[in-house]
Amino acid sequence: MLSLFLKCVMGAAVVLLIALLSKSKVFYIAGLVPLFPTFALIAHVIVAQDKGAEALRQTALFGMWSLIPYFVYLLAVYMLATKMPIWSCLGVATACWIIAAVVLIFGWNSYFS
């Protein structure tokens, strides 16, 4: 239970930091904060403890490939931010992320399974 509480506190701290940075002169750094490996650290500890070092290596490799859907999302936001309302832009960008993530997962399963 303490572990779950600490994870919630870490998530809330990240959200608070993003909110504070977005209101500052260095608002663009708010885009870097979500890339801090808070949740990756949690996932890596769990995978390493449950499955061992080789599974951790595979998880890290998949994590590197998972940057592709994130790049697709950011590219869509960049291209659409001035062309449509913010919620539409973010909705389309999220849909692009989902499509890229599904393609990645199917590709990964085809190659590594």
Side-chain angles (χ1 to χ4, degrees):
M1 190 63 141
L2 179 62
S3 173
L4 184 58
F5 176 74
L6 291 174
K7 291 171 190 168
C8 292
V9 169
M10 286 174 37
V14 169
V15 171
L16 180 62
L17 183 58
I18 291 169
L20 292 172
L21 284 169
S22 69
K23 296 177 185 338
S24 73
K25 290 189 290 187
V26 290
F27 59 88
Y28 49 86
I29 296 176
L32 179 63
V33 173
L35 298 177
F36 182 80
T38 306
F39 300 109
L41 287 166
I42 295 166
H44 292 159
V45 166
I46 293 169
V47 168
Q49 288 176 341
D50 289 350
K51 303 283 186 179
E54 189 53 41
L56 178 58
R57 288 185 75 233
Q58 183 115 6
T59 302
L61 180 61
F62 184 81
M64 288 184 258
W65 280 96
S66 72
L67 294 173
I68 295 169
Y70 188 64
F71 175 80
V72 168
Y73 168 81
L74 291 177
L75 181 63
V77 169
Y78 180 79
M79 300 295 286
L80 300 173
T82 58
K83 294 179 174 47
M84 58 178 39
I86 186 68
W87 293 111
S88 298
C89 167
L90 296 176
V92 170
T94 301
C96 290
W97 182 93
I98 291 169
I99 292 166
V102 167
V103 169
L104 172 64
I105 291 168
F106 279 116
W108 183 269
N109 286 333
S110 295
Y111 186 75
F112 284 101
S113 294

Short mmCIF file of all heavy atoms in Angstrom, two decimals, residues 44-61:
data_model
loop_
_atom_site.label_atom_id
_atom_site.label_comp_id
_atom_site.label_asym_id
_atom_site.label_seq_id
_atom_site.Cartn_x
_atom_site.Cartn_y
_atom_site.Cartn_z
N HIS A 44 10.87 -0.54 -14.79
CA HIS A 44 12.13 -1.28 -14.90
C HIS A 44 12.44 -2.05 -13.62
O HIS A 44 12.94 -3.18 -13.68
CB HIS A 44 13.27 -0.34 -15.28
CG HIS A 44 13.12 0.19 -16.65
ND1 HIS A 44 13.75 1.34 -17.07
CD2 HIS A 44 12.41 -0.25 -17.72
CE1 HIS A 44 13.43 1.58 -18.34
NE2 HIS A 44 12.62 0.62 -18.75
N VAL A 45 12.16 -1.46 -12.49
CA VAL A 45 12.38 -2.18 -11.22
C VAL A 45 11.47 -3.40 -11.15
O VAL A 45 11.91 -4.51 -10.82
CB VAL A 45 12.13 -1.25 -10.01
CG1 VAL A 45 12.02 -2.04 -8.72
CG2 VAL A 45 13.23 -0.21 -9.91
N ILE A 46 10.20 -3.23 -11.51
CA ILE A 46 9.25 -4.34 -11.45
C ILE A 46 9.66 -5.44 -12.42
O ILE A 46 9.68 -6.63 -12.06
CB ILE A 46 7.82 -3.84 -11.71
CG1 ILE A 46 7.36 -2.95 -10.57
CG2 ILE A 46 6.86 -5.02 -11.90
CD1 ILE A 46 6.07 -2.19 -10.85
N VAL A 47 9.98 -5.08 -13.66
CA VAL A 47 10.38 -6.08 -14.66
C VAL A 47 11.65 -6.81 -14.21
O VAL A 47 11.73 -8.03 -14.28
CB VAL A 47 10.58 -5.44 -16.05
CG1 VAL A 47 11.27 -6.39 -17.01
CG2 VAL A 47 9.23 -5.00 -16.63
N ALA A 48 12.64 -6.06 -13.76
CA ALA A 48 13.90 -6.68 -13.34
C ALA A 48 13.68 -7.63 -12.17
O ALA A 48 14.26 -8.73 -12.15
CB ALA A 48 14.92 -5.61 -12.97
N GLN A 49 12.84 -7.25 -11.22
CA GLN A 49 12.59 -8.11 -10.06
C GLN A 49 11.78 -9.34 -10.44
O GLN A 49 12.01 -10.43 -9.92
CB GLN A 49 11.89 -7.33 -8.96
CG GLN A 49 12.78 -6.32 -8.27
CD GLN A 49 12.03 -5.49 -7.24
OE1 GLN A 49 10.81 -5.39 -7.25
NE2 GLN A 49 12.79 -4.86 -6.35
N ASP A 50 10.83 -9.18 -11.35
CA ASP A 50 9.95 -10.30 -11.72
C ASP A 50 10.55 -11.20 -12.79
O ASP A 50 10.35 -12.41 -12.76
CB ASP A 50 8.60 -9.78 -12.21
CG ASP A 50 7.76 -9.18 -11.09
OD1 ASP A 50 8.13 -9.34 -9.91
OD2 ASP A 50 6.73 -8.54 -11.42
N LYS A 51 11.25 -10.60 -13.76
CA LYS A 51 11.67 -11.37 -14.94
C LYS A 51 13.18 -11.45 -15.14
O LYS A 51 13.65 -12.21 -15.98
CB LYS A 51 11.05 -10.75 -16.21
CG LYS A 51 9.55 -10.67 -16.19
CD LYS A 51 8.94 -12.00 -16.47
CE LYS A 51 7.42 -11.84 -16.60
NZ LYS A 51 6.79 -13.09 -16.89
N GLY A 52 13.95 -10.60 -14.48
CA GLY A 52 15.41 -10.66 -14.60
C GLY A 52 16.00 -9.66 -15.57
O GLY A 52 15.30 -8.88 -16.22
N ALA A 53 17.33 -9.73 -15.68
CA ALA A 53 18.09 -8.74 -16.45
C ALA A 53 17.80 -8.80 -17.95
O ALA A 53 17.76 -7.77 -18.62
CB ALA A 53 19.59 -8.93 -16.20
N GLU A 54 17.62 -9.99 -18.50
CA GLU A 54 17.36 -10.09 -19.95
C GLU A 54 16.02 -9.46 -20.31
O GLU A 54 15.90 -8.77 -21.33
CB GLU A 54 17.42 -11.55 -20.41
CG GLU A 54 17.39 -11.70 -21.91
CD GLU A 54 18.46 -10.88 -22.66
OE1 GLU A 54 19.61 -10.81 -22.19
OE2 GLU A 54 18.12 -10.31 -23.72
N ALA A 55 15.02 -9.66 -19.48
CA ALA A 55 13.72 -9.02 -19.71
C ALA A 55 13.84 -7.50 -19.57
O ALA A 55 13.19 -6.75 -20.31
CB ALA A 55 12.68 -9.56 -18.74
N LEU A 56 14.68 -7.05 -18.64
CA LEU A 56 14.92 -5.61 -18.50
C LEU A 56 15.55 -5.05 -19.76
O LEU A 56 15.16 -3.98 -20.23
CB LEU A 56 15.79 -5.34 -17.28
CG LEU A 56 16.16 -3.87 -17.04
CD1 LEU A 56 14.92 -3.01 -16.88
CD2 LEU A 56 17.07 -3.76 -15.83
N ARG A 57 16.51 -5.77 -20.33
CA ARG A 57 17.13 -5.33 -21.59
C ARG A 57 16.08 -5.21 -22.69
O ARG A 57 16.06 -4.24 -23.44
CB ARG A 57 18.23 -6.30 -22.02
CG ARG A 57 19.47 -6.24 -21.17
CD ARG A 57 20.57 -7.14 -21.71
NE ARG A 57 21.15 -6.50 -22.89
CZ ARG A 57 21.29 -7.09 -24.08
NH1 ARG A 57 20.93 -8.33 -24.27
NH2 ARG A 57 21.83 -6.43 -25.09
N GLN A 58 15.21 -6.21 -22.81
CA GLN A 58 14.16 -6.20 -23.84
C GLN A 58 13.19 -5.04 -23.61
O GLN A 58 12.77 -4.37 -24.54
CB GLN A 58 13.41 -7.53 -23.81
CG GLN A 58 12.36 -7.65 -24.87
CD GLN A 58 12.66 -8.73 -25.87
OE1 GLN A 58 13.61 -9.47 -25.72
NE2 GLN A 58 11.85 -8.81 -26.89
N THR A 59 12.86 -4.79 -22.34
CA THR A 59 11.98 -3.68 -22.00
C THR A 59 12.62 -2.34 -22.38
O THR A 59 11.95 -1.45 -22.91
CB THR A 59 11.64 -3.70 -20.50
OG1 THR A 59 11.04 -4.95 -20.19
CG2 THR A 59 10.70 -2.58 -20.11
N ALA A 60 13.91 -2.21 -22.12
CA ALA A 60 14.63 -0.98 -22.49
C ALA A 60 14.66 -0.80 -24.00
O ALA A 60 14.46 0.31 -24.51
CB ALA A 60 16.04 -1.00 -21.92
N LEU A 61 14.88 -1.88 -24.73
CA LEU A 61 14.90 -1.79 -26.20
C LEU A 61 13.54 -1.37 -26.73
O LEU A 61 13.43 -0.49 -27.59
CB LEU A 61 15.32 -3.14 -26.79
CG LEU A 61 15.39 -3.20 -28.32
CD1 LEU A 61 16.41 -2.20 -28.85
CD2 LEU A 61 15.72 -4.61 -28.78
#
